[in-house]
Structure formats: structure tokens, C-alpha cells
Amino acid sequence: NIPEKGSVKGKGKVKITCLDCKAPKYPPQALRRGAEGSPLIKVWINTKGIVVKSIIIRSSAIESIDKAAIKAATESKFYPIKSDSTLNIEYNLKIK
């Protein structure tokens, strides 16, 4: 039982699937400095699949990368779910 891409199974009860996942836009100043980071964001999703709140659980230690991750997480949309839930999203902003 492998979840589809963009979905998470929580304790076998809640399946959260991304409808419109946003990727963070690499901040130009971080790119110029060669800065990379992997912030971990916690989002609260309501039954309509809308992110109602997001916070940083683990900072990348680079403010512009953290802000880009929060913005992407907050703007993401999910398929409707039966009850309000939370989800942790880790973004890996690496220079390729």
C-alpha cells in the first residue's frame, strides 16, 4: 500500500493528498550567496483542504529560505478531508 505521490497516511486513518502543492521560490539573495536549507514546516489543514496556519518547526537558519517555505506551504491546497489535520512538510532548497 504505497501512498500516491504528494499524499501522506497518518496512523492509517487520515490520507492527505495535495491538490495544488506549491514549491518555494528560491530567494534571489540566498541564491547569490550560495545559501541552501531544509526548513520543516507544520501546516494545519481544514476539512476543505485549505491551509489555515503554518509555522516553522525546524529553521534552515536562513530567514529568506524560511519565509519562502512558509509562503509555499500556506499557498498549497489539498483535497478535502474528513477532519481538520496537521501535516509536516520539509522543503529542500538546494542549488543544483
Coordinates of all heavy atoms in Angstrom, one line a residue:
N1 N 0.8 -1.2 0.0 CA 0.0 0.0 0.0 C 0.9 1.3 0.0 O 1.0 1.9 1.0 CB -0.9 0.0 1.2 CG -2.3 -0.2 0.9 OD1 -2.7 -0.3 -0.3 ND2 -3.2 -0.3 1.9
I2 N 1.4 1.6 -1.1 CA 2.2 2.8 -1.2 C 1.3 4.0 -1.5 O 0.6 4.0 -2.5 CB 3.3 2.6 -2.3 CG1 4.2 1.4 -2.0 CG2 4.1 3.9 -2.5 CD1 5.1 1.1 -3.1
P3 N 1.4 5.1 -0.7 CA 0.6 6.3 -1.0 C 1.0 6.9 -2.3 O 2.1 6.8 -2.7 CB 0.8 7.2 0.2 CG 1.9 6.6 1.0 CD 2.2 5.2 0.5
E4 N 0.0 7.5 -3.0 CA 0.3 8.2 -4.2 C 1.2 9.4 -3.9 O 1.3 9.9 -2.8 CB -0.9 8.6 -4.9 CG -1.8 9.6 -4.1 CD -3.1 9.9 -4.7 OE1 -3.2 10.7 -5.7 OE2 -4.1 9.3 -4.3
K5 N 2.0 9.9 -5.0 CA 2.9 11.0 -4.8 C 2.1 12.2 -4.3 O 1.1 12.5 -4.8 CB 3.5 11.3 -6.1 CG 4.7 12.3 -6.0 CD 5.4 12.5 -7.3 CE 6.5 13.5 -7.1 NZ 7.2 13.8 -8.3
G6 N 2.7 12.8 -3.3 CA 2.1 14.0 -2.7 C 1.0 13.7 -1.6 O 0.4 14.6 -1.2
S7 N 0.9 12.4 -1.2 CA 0.0 12.1 -0.2 C 0.7 11.5 1.0 O 1.8 11.0 0.9 CB -1.1 11.2 -0.7 OG -0.6 9.9 -0.9
V8 N 0.0 11.6 2.2 CA 0.6 11.1 3.4 C -0.4 10.3 4.1 O -1.6 10.7 4.2 CB 1.1 12.3 4.3 CG1 1.6 11.8 5.6 CG2 2.2 13.1 3.6
K9 N -0.1 9.2 4.7 CA -1.0 8.4 5.5 C -0.6 8.7 7.0 O 0.5 8.4 7.4 CB -1.0 7.0 5.2 CG -1.7 6.6 3.9 CD -1.9 5.2 3.9 CE -2.9 4.9 2.7 NZ -3.3 3.5 2.7
G10 N -1.6 9.1 7.8 CA -1.3 9.4 9.2 C -2.0 8.3 10.0 O -3.2 8.3 10.1
K11 N -1.3 7.5 10.7 CA -1.8 6.5 11.6 C -2.8 5.6 11.0 O -3.7 5.1 11.6 CB -2.3 7.1 12.9 CG -1.2 7.9 13.6 CD -1.8 8.5 14.9 CE -0.7 9.3 15.6 NZ -1.2 10.1 16.7
G12 N -2.8 5.5 9.6 CA -3.7 4.6 8.9 C -5.2 5.1 8.9 O -6.1 4.5 8.4
K13 N -5.4 6.4 9.3 CA -6.8 6.9 9.4 C -7.0 8.0 8.4 O -8.0 8.1 7.8 CB -7.1 7.3 10.8 CG -7.2 6.2 11.8 CD -7.6 6.6 13.2 CE -7.6 5.5 14.1 NZ -7.9 5.9 15.5
V14 N -6.0 8.9 8.3 CA -6.2 10.1 7.5 C -5.2 10.1 6.4 O -4.0 9.9 6.5 CB -5.9 11.4 8.4 CG1 -6.0 12.7 7.5 CG2 -6.8 11.5 9.6
K15 N -5.8 10.3 5.2 CA -5.0 10.3 4.0 C -5.1 11.8 3.5 O -6.2 12.2 3.1 CB -5.4 9.3 2.9 CG -4.6 9.4 1.7 CD -5.0 8.3 0.7 CE -4.2 8.4 -0.6 NZ -4.7 7.5 -1.6
I16 N -4.0 12.4 3.4 CA -4.0 13.8 2.9 C -3.2 13.9 1.6 O -2.1 13.4 1.5 CB -3.2 14.7 3.9 CG1 -4.0 14.7 5.3 CG2 -3.2 16.2 3.4 CD1 -3.2 15.4 6.4
T17 N -4.0 14.3 0.6 CA -3.4 14.3 -0.8 C -3.4 15.8 -1.3 O -4.4 16.5 -1.2 CB -4.2 13.5 -1.7 OG1 -4.3 12.1 -1.2 CG2 -3.6 13.4 -3.1
C18 N -2.2 16.2 -1.8 CA -2.1 17.5 -2.3 C -2.8 17.7 -3.6 O -2.7 16.9 -4.5 CB -0.6 17.8 -2.5 SG -0.2 19.5 -2.5
L19 N -3.6 18.8 -3.7 CA -4.3 19.1 -4.9 C -3.5 20.1 -5.7 O -3.4 20.0 -7.0 CB -5.7 19.7 -4.5 CG -6.5 20.3 -5.6 CD1 -7.0 19.1 -6.6 CD2 -7.8 21.0 -5.0
D20 N -2.9 21.1 -5.1 CA -2.1 22.1 -5.7 C -0.9 22.4 -4.8 O -1.0 23.4 -4.0 CB -2.9 23.3 -6.1 CG -2.1 24.4 -6.8 OD1 -1.1 24.1 -7.4 OD2 -2.6 25.6 -6.8
C21 N 0.1 21.6 -4.8 CA 1.3 21.8 -4.0 C 2.2 22.9 -4.6 O 2.5 22.8 -5.7 CB 2.1 20.6 -3.8 SG 1.3 19.4 -2.7
K22 N 2.6 23.8 -3.8 CA 3.4 24.9 -4.2 C 4.9 24.6 -3.8 O 5.1 24.2 -2.6 CB 3.0 26.3 -3.6 CG 1.6 26.7 -3.9 CD 1.4 27.0 -5.4 CE 0.0 27.5 -5.7 NZ -0.2 27.7 -7.1
A23 N 5.8 24.9 -4.6 CA 7.2 24.7 -4.3 C 7.7 26.1 -3.9 O 7.3 27.1 -4.6 CB 8.0 24.2 -5.5
P24 N 8.6 26.2 -3.0 CA 9.2 27.5 -2.6 C 10.0 28.1 -3.8 O 10.6 27.4 -4.5 CB 10.1 27.3 -1.4 CG 9.8 25.9 -1.0 CD 9.1 25.2 -2.1
K25 N 9.9 29.4 -4.0 CA 10.7 30.1 -4.9 C 12.0 30.5 -4.3 O 12.0 31.1 -3.2 CB 10.0 31.4 -5.4 CG 8.8 31.1 -6.3 CD 8.1 32.3 -6.8 CE 7.0 31.9 -7.8 NZ 5.8 32.6 -7.5
Y26 N 13.1 30.0 -4.9 CA 14.4 30.2 -4.3 C 14.6 31.8 -4.2 O 14.6 32.5 -5.2 CB 15.5 29.6 -5.2 CG 16.6 29.0 -4.4 CD1 16.8 27.6 -4.4 CD2 17.4 29.8 -3.6 CE1 17.8 27.0 -3.6 CE2 18.4 29.2 -2.8 CZ 18.6 27.8 -2.9 OH 19.6 27.2 -2.1
P27 N 14.9 32.3 -3.0 CA 15.1 33.7 -2.8 C 16.4 34.1 -3.5 O 17.4 33.5 -3.4 CB 15.3 33.8 -1.3 CG 14.7 32.6 -0.7 CD 14.9 31.5 -1.7
P28 N 16.3 35.2 -4.3 CA 17.4 35.6 -5.1 C 18.7 35.9 -4.3 O 19.8 35.5 -4.6 CB 17.0 36.9 -5.8 CG 15.5 36.8 -5.8 CD 15.1 36.0 -4.6
Q29 N 18.5 36.5 -3.1 CA 19.7 36.8 -2.3 C 20.3 35.6 -1.7 O 21.5 35.5 -1.6 CB 19.4 37.8 -1.1 CG 18.5 37.3 -0.1 CD 17.0 37.7 -0.3 OE1 16.5 37.9 -1.4 NE2 16.2 37.8 0.8
A30 N 19.5 34.5 -1.4 CA 20.1 33.3 -0.9 C 20.8 32.6 -2.1 O 21.9 32.0 -1.9 CB 19.0 32.4 -0.4
L31 N 20.3 32.7 -3.3 CA 20.9 32.1 -4.5 C 22.3 32.7 -4.7 O 23.2 32.1 -5.0 CB 20.0 32.2 -5.7 CG 20.3 31.4 -6.9 CD1 20.4 30.0 -6.6 CD2 19.3 31.7 -8.0
R32 N 22.3 34.1 -4.7 CA 23.5 34.8 -4.9 C 24.6 34.4 -3.9 O 25.8 34.3 -4.2 CB 23.3 36.3 -4.9 CG 22.7 36.9 -6.1 CD 22.7 38.4 -6.1 NE 22.0 39.0 -5.1 CZ 20.7 39.3 -5.1 NH1 20.0 39.0 -6.2 NH2 20.1 39.9 -4.1
R33 N 24.2 34.2 -2.7 CA 25.2 33.8 -1.6 C 25.5 32.3 -1.6 O 26.4 31.9 -0.8 CB 24.6 34.2 -0.2 CG 24.6 35.7 0.0 CD 24.1 36.0 1.4 NE 22.8 35.4 1.6 CZ 22.2 35.3 2.8 NH1 22.9 35.6 3.9 NH2 21.0 34.8 2.9
G34 N 24.8 31.6 -2.4 CA 25.0 30.1 -2.4 C 24.4 29.4 -1.2 O 24.8 28.3 -0.8
A35 N 23.4 30.1 -0.6 CA 22.8 29.5 0.6 C 21.8 28.4 0.3 O 21.1 28.5 -0.6 CB 22.1 30.7 1.4
E36 N 21.8 27.4 1.1 CA 20.9 26.3 1.0 C 20.3 26.0 2.3 O 20.8 26.3 3.4 CB 21.7 25.0 0.5 CG 22.3 25.2 -0.9 CD 23.0 23.9 -1.3 OE1 23.5 23.1 -0.4 OE2 23.1 23.7 -2.5
G37 N 19.1 25.3 2.3 CA 18.5 25.0 3.6 C 17.3 24.0 3.4 O 16.8 23.8 2.3
S38 N 16.9 23.4 4.5 CA 15.9 22.4 4.5 C 14.9 22.7 5.7 O 14.9 22.0 6.7 CB 16.4 21.0 4.6 OG 17.2 20.7 3.5
P39 N 14.1 23.7 5.6 CA 13.2 24.0 6.7 C 12.1 23.0 6.8 O 11.7 22.4 5.7 CB 12.6 25.4 6.3 CG 12.8 25.5 4.8 CD 14.0 24.7 4.5
L40 N 11.6 22.8 8.0 CA 10.4 21.9 8.2 C 9.3 22.7 8.7 O 9.4 23.5 9.7 CB 10.8 20.8 9.3 CG 9.8 19.8 9.6 CD1 9.5 18.9 8.4 CD2 10.2 18.9 10.8
I41 N 8.2 22.6 8.0 CA 7.0 23.5 8.2 C 5.8 22.6 8.7 O 5.6 21.5 8.1 CB 6.6 24.2 6.9 CG1 7.8 24.9 6.3 CG2 5.4 25.2 7.2 CD1 8.4 26.0 7.1
K42 N 5.1 23.0 9.7 CA 3.9 22.3 10.1 C 2.7 23.2 9.6 O 2.7 24.4 9.8 CB 3.9 22.2 11.7 CG 2.6 21.5 12.2 CD 2.7 21.2 13.6 CE 1.6 20.3 14.1 NZ 1.8 19.8 15.5
V43 N 1.8 22.5 9.0 CA 0.6 23.2 8.5 C -0.7 22.5 9.1 O -0.7 21.4 9.4 CB 0.5 23.1 6.9 CG1 1.6 23.9 6.3 CG2 0.4 21.7 6.4
W44 N -1.6 23.4 9.3 CA -2.9 23.0 9.8 C -3.9 23.1 8.6 O -4.0 24.1 7.9 CB -3.4 23.9 10.9 CG -2.8 23.6 12.2 CD1 -3.5 22.9 13.2 CD2 -1.6 24.0 12.7 NE1 -2.6 22.9 14.3 CE2 -1.4 23.5 14.0 CE3 -0.5 24.7 12.2 CZ2 -0.3 23.7 14.8 CZ3 0.7 24.9 12.9 CH2 0.7 24.4 14.2
I45 N -4.5 22.0 8.3 CA -5.4 21.9 7.1 C -6.8 21.7 7.6 O -7.1 20.8 8.4 CB -5.0 20.7 6.2 CG1 -3.5 20.9 5.8 CG2 -5.8 20.6 4.9 CD1 -2.8 19.6 5.3
N46 N -7.8 22.5 7.0 CA -9.2 22.3 7.4 C -9.8 21.3 6.5 O -9.2 20.7 5.6 CB -9.9 23.6 7.5 CG -10.1 24.2 6.1 OD1 -10.0 23.6 5.0 ND2 -10.5 25.5 6.1
T47 N -11.1 21.0 6.8 CA -11.8 19.9 6.0 C -12.0 20.2 4.6 O -12.2 19.3 3.8 CB -13.2 19.7 6.7 OG1 -13.9 20.9 6.7 CG2 -13.1 19.1 8.1
K48 N -11.8 21.5 4.2 CA -11.9 21.9 2.8 C -10.6 21.8 2.1 O -10.5 22.0 0.9 CB -12.4 23.3 2.7 CG -13.9 23.5 3.2 CD -14.3 24.9 3.1 CE -15.7 25.1 3.6 NZ -16.2 26.5 3.6
G49 N -9.5 21.4 2.8 CA -8.2 21.2 2.2 C -7.4 22.5 2.1 O -6.4 22.6 1.4
I50 N -7.8 23.5 2.9 CA -7.2 24.8 2.9 C -6.2 24.9 4.1 O -6.6 24.5 5.2 CB -8.2 25.9 2.9 CG1 -9.0 25.9 1.6 CG2 -7.5 27.3 3.1 CD1 -10.2 26.8 1.6
V51 N -5.0 25.4 3.9 CA -4.1 25.6 5.0 C -4.5 26.8 5.7 O -4.6 27.9 5.1 CB -2.6 25.7 4.4 CG1 -1.7 26.1 5.5 CG2 -2.2 24.5 3.7
V52 N -4.8 26.6 7.0 CA -5.3 27.8 7.8 C -4.2 28.4 8.7 O -4.3 29.5 9.2 CB -6.5 27.4 8.7 CG1 -7.7 27.1 7.8 CG2 -6.2 26.2 9.6
K53 N -3.1 27.6 8.9 CA -2.0 28.1 9.7 C -0.7 27.3 9.3 O -0.8 26.2 9.0 CB -2.3 27.9 11.2 CG -1.2 28.3 12.1 CD -1.7 28.0 13.6 CE -0.6 28.3 14.6 NZ -0.9 28.0 15.9
S54 N 0.4 28.0 9.4 CA 1.7 27.3 9.2 C 2.8 27.9 10.0 O 2.8 29.1 10.2 CB 2.1 27.3 7.7 OG 2.1 28.6 7.2
I55 N 3.6 27.1 10.6 CA 4.7 27.5 11.4 C 6.0 26.8 11.1 O 5.9 25.7 10.5 CB 4.4 27.4 12.9 CG1 4.2 25.9 13.3 CG2 3.3 28.2 13.4 CD1 4.3 25.6 14.8
I56 N 7.1 27.3 11.4 CA 8.4 26.7 11.2 C 8.7 25.8 12.4 O 8.7 26.2 13.6 CB 9.5 27.7 11.1 CG1 9.3 28.5 9.8 CG2 10.9 27.0 11.0 CD1 10.3 29.7 9.7
I57 N 8.9 24.5 12.2 CA 9.3 23.6 13.2 C 10.8 23.5 13.3 O 11.4 23.5 14.4 CB 8.7 22.1 12.9 CG1 7.2 22.2 13.0 CG2 9.3 21.1 13.9 CD1 6.6 20.8 12.7
R58 N 11.5 23.5 12.2 CA 12.9 23.5 12.1 C 13.4 24.5 11.1 O 13.1 24.3 9.9 CB 13.5 22.1 11.8 CG 15.0 22.0 11.8 CD 15.5 20.7 11.3 NE 15.3 20.6 9.9 CZ 14.7 19.5 9.3 NH1 14.3 18.5 10.0 NH2 14.5 19.5 8.0
S59 N 14.1 25.5 11.5 CA 14.5 26.5 10.6 C 15.7 26.1 9.8 O 16.5 25.2 10.2 CB 15.0 27.7 11.5 OG 15.5 28.7 10.7
S60 N 15.9 26.7 8.6 CA 17.0 26.4 7.8 C 18.2 27.3 8.3 O 19.3 27.2 7.8 CB 16.7 26.8 6.3 OG 16.5 28.2 6.2
A61 N 17.9 28.2 9.2 CA 18.9 29.2 9.7 C 19.1 30.4 8.7 O 20.0 31.2 8.9 CB 20.2 28.6 10.1
I62 N 18.3 30.4 7.6 CA 18.4 31.4 6.6 C 17.0 32.0 6.5 O 16.1 31.3 6.0 CB 18.9 30.9 5.3 CG1 20.3 30.4 5.5 CG2 18.9 32.0 4.2 CD1 20.8 29.4 4.5
E63 N 16.8 33.2 6.9 CA 15.5 33.8 7.0 C 14.7 33.8 5.7 O 13.5 33.5 5.6 CB 15.6 35.2 7.6 CG 14.2 35.9 7.8 CD 14.3 37.3 8.4 OE1 15.4 37.8 8.7 OE2 13.2 37.9 8.5
S64 N 15.4 34.2 4.6 CA 14.7 34.3 3.3 C 14.2 32.9 2.8 O 13.1 32.8 2.2 CB 15.6 34.9 2.3 OG 16.8 34.2 2.1
I65 N 15.0 31.8 3.1 CA 14.6 30.5 2.7 C 13.4 30.0 3.6 O 12.4 29.5 3.1 CB 15.8 29.5 2.8 CG1 16.7 29.8 1.7 CG2 15.3 28.0 2.9 CD1 18.0 28.9 1.7
D66 N 13.4 30.3 4.9 CA 12.3 30.0 5.8 C 11.0 30.7 5.3 O 9.9 30.1 5.3 CB 12.6 30.4 7.2 CG 13.7 29.5 7.9 OD1 14.0 28.4 7.3 OD2 14.2 29.8 9.0
K67 N 11.1 32.0 5.0 CA 9.9 32.7 4.5 C 9.4 32.2 3.2 O 8.2 32.1 3.1 CB 10.3 34.2 4.3 CG 10.4 35.0 5.6 CD 10.7 36.5 5.4 CE 10.8 37.2 6.6 NZ 11.1 38.7 6.4
A68 N 10.2 31.8 2.3 CA 9.8 31.2 1.1 C 9.1 29.8 1.3 O 8.1 29.5 0.7 CB 11.0 31.0 0.1
A69 N 9.6 29.1 2.3 CA 8.9 27.8 2.6 C 7.6 28.0 3.3 O 6.6 27.3 2.9 CB 9.9 27.0 3.6
I70 N 7.5 28.9 4.2 CA 6.2 29.3 4.8 C 5.2 29.7 3.8 O 4.0 29.3 3.8 CB 6.4 30.4 5.9 CG1 7.0 29.8 7.2 CG2 5.0 31.0 6.2 CD1 6.0 29.0 8.1
K71 N 5.6 30.6 2.8 CA 4.7 31.1 1.8 C 4.2 29.9 0.9 O 3.0 29.8 0.7 CB 5.4 32.1 0.9 CG 4.6 32.8 -0.1 CD 5.4 33.9 -0.8 CE 4.7 34.7 -1.8 NZ 3.6 34.2 -2.6
A72 N 5.1 29.0 0.5 CA 4.7 27.9 -0.3 C 3.8 26.9 0.4 O 2.7 26.5 -0.1 CB 6.0 27.1 -0.8
A73 N 4.1 26.7 1.7 CA 3.2 25.8 2.5 C 1.8 26.4 2.7 O 0.8 25.7 2.5 CB 3.8 25.5 3.8
T74 N 1.7 27.7 2.9 CA 0.5 28.3 3.2 C -0.4 28.4 1.9 O -1.6 28.3 2.0 CB 0.7 29.8 3.7 OG1 1.5 29.6 4.9 CG2 -0.6 30.5 4.1
E75 N 0.3 28.5 0.8 CA -0.5 28.6 -0.5 C -0.9 27.3 -1.1 O -1.6 27.2 -2.1 CB 0.3 29.4 -1.5 CG 0.5 30.9 -1.1 CD 1.4 31.7 -2.1 OE1 2.0 31.1 -3.0 OE2 1.5 32.9 -1.9
S76 N -0.3 26.2 -0.6 CA -0.7 24.9 -1.1 C -2.1 24.5 -0.7 O -2.7 25.0 0.3 CB 0.3 23.8 -0.5 OG 1.6 24.0 -1.0
K77 N -2.7 23.7 -1.6 CA -4.1 23.3 -1.4 C -4.2 21.8 -1.4 O -3.4 21.1 -2.1 CB -5.0 23.9 -2.5 CG -4.9 25.4 -2.5 CD -6.2 26.0 -2.7 CE -6.2 27.5 -2.8 NZ -5.2 28.3 -2.2
F78 N -5.1 21.2 -0.6 CA -5.2 19.8 -0.5 C -6.6 19.3 -0.8 O -7.6 20.2 -0.8 CB -4.8 19.3 0.9 CG -3.4 19.7 1.2 CD1 -3.1 20.9 1.7 CD2 -2.4 18.7 1.1 CE1 -1.7 21.2 2.0 CE2 -1.1 19.0 1.3 CZ -0.7 20.3 1.8
Y79 N -6.8 18.1 -1.1 CA -8.2 17.5 -1.3 C -8.9 17.6 0.0 O -8.3 17.5 1.1 CB -8.1 16.1 -1.9 CG -7.8 16.0 -3.3 CD1 -6.5 15.8 -3.7 CD2 -8.8 16.2 -4.3 CE1 -6.2 15.7 -5.1 CE2 -8.5 16.1 -5.6 CZ -7.2 15.9 -6.0 OH -6.9 15.8 -7.4
P80 N -10.2 17.8 0.0 CA -11.0 17.8 1.2 C -10.8 16.5 2.1 O -10.5 15.4 1.5 CB -12.5 17.9 0.7 CG -12.4 18.5 -0.6 CD -11.1 18.0 -1.2
I81 N -10.8 16.7 3.4 CA -10.6 15.6 4.3 C -11.7 15.6 5.3 O -12.4 16.6 5.4 CB -9.2 15.7 5.0 CG1 -9.0 17.1 5.6 CG2 -8.1 15.3 4.1 CD1 -7.7 17.3 6.3
K82 N -11.8 14.5 6.1 CA -13.0 14.3 7.0 C -12.9 15.2 8.2 O -13.9 15.6 8.8 CB -13.2 12.9 7.4 CG -13.6 12.0 6.2 CD -13.9 10.6 6.6 CE -14.3 9.8 5.4 NZ -14.6 8.5 5.7
S83 N -11.7 15.4 8.7 CA -11.5 16.3 9.9 C -10.2 17.1 9.8 O -9.3 16.8 9.0 CB -11.4 15.4 11.2 OG -10.3 14.5 11.1
D84 N -10.2 18.2 10.5 CA -9.1 19.1 10.5 C -7.8 18.3 10.9 O -7.9 17.4 11.8 CB -9.2 20.3 11.4 CG -10.4 21.2 11.0 OD1 -10.9 21.1 9.9 OD2 -10.7 22.1 11.8
S85 N -6.7 18.5 10.2 CA -5.5 17.7 10.4 C -4.3 18.6 10.3 O -4.3 19.8 9.9 CB -5.4 16.6 9.4 OG -6.4 15.7 9.5
T86 N -3.1 18.1 10.8 CA -1.9 18.8 10.6 C -0.9 17.9 9.8 O -1.1 16.7 9.7 CB -1.2 19.0 12.0 OG1 -0.9 17.8 12.6 CG2 -2.0 19.9 12.8
L87 N 0.0 18.5 9.2 CA 1.0 17.8 8.3 C 2.3 18.5 8.4 O 2.3 19.8 8.4 CB 0.4 17.8 6.9 CG 1.3 17.3 5.7 CD1 1.5 15.7 5.9 CD2 0.7 17.5 4.4
N88 N 3.4 17.8 8.4 CA 4.7 18.4 8.4 C 5.3 18.3 7.0 O 5.2 17.2 6.4 CB 5.7 17.7 9.3 CG 5.3 17.9 10.8 OD1 4.5 18.8 11.1 ND2 5.8 17.1 11.7
I89 N 5.8 19.4 6.4 CA 6.3 19.4 5.1 C 7.8 19.9 5.2 O 8.1 20.9 5.8 CB 5.6 20.4 4.2 CG1 4.1 20.0 4.1 CG2 6.2 20.4 2.8 CD1 3.2 21.1 3.4
E90 N 8.7 19.1 4.6 CA 10.1 19.5 4.6 C 10.4 19.9 3.2 O 10.2 19.2 2.2 CB 11.0 18.4 5.0 CG 12.5 18.8 5.0 CD 13.4 17.7 5.5 OE1 13.0 16.6 5.6 OE2 14.6 18.1 5.8
Y91 N 11.0 21.1 3.0 CA 11.4 21.7 1.7 C 12.9 21.6 1.7 O 13.6 22.1 2.6 CB 10.9 23.1 1.5 CG 9.4 23.2 1.4 CD1 8.7 23.7 2.4 CD2 8.8 22.8 0.2 CE1 7.3 23.9 2.3 CE2 7.4 23.0 0.1 CZ 6.7 23.5 1.1 OH 5.3 23.6 1.0
N92 N 13.5 21.1 0.6 CA 14.9 21.0 0.5 C 15.3 22.0 -0.6 O 15.1 21.7 -1.8 CB 15.4 19.6 0.1 CG 15.2 18.7 1.2 OD1 15.6 18.9 2.3 ND2 14.6 17.5 1.0
L93 N 15.8 23.2 -0.2 CA 16.2 24.2 -1.2 C 17.7 24.0 -1.4 O 18.5 24.5 -0.5 CB 15.8 25.6 -0.7 CG 14.4 25.9 -1.0 CD1 13.5 25.5 0.2 CD2 14.2 27.4 -1.2
K94 N 18.1 23.4 -2.4 CA 19.5 23.1 -2.8 C 19.8 23.8 -4.1 O 19.0 23.7 -5.0 CB 19.8 21.6 -2.8 CG 19.4 20.9 -1.6 CD 20.4 21.0 -0.5 CE 20.0 20.2 0.7 NZ 20.5 20.6 1.9
I95 N 21.0 24.2 -4.3 CA 21.4 24.8 -5.6 C 21.9 23.6 -6.4 O 22.7 22.8 -6.0 CB 22.6 25.8 -5.4 CG1 22.1 27.0 -4.6 CG2 23.1 26.3 -6.8 CD1 23.1 28.0 -4.2
K96 N 21.4 23.5 -7.6 CA 21.7 22.3 -8.5 C 22.8 22.7 -9.4 O 23.0 23.7 -9.8 CB 20.4 21.9 -9.2 CG 19.4 21.4 -8.3 CD 18.2 21.0 -9.0 CE 17.2 20.5 -7.9 NZ 15.9 20.2 -8.3

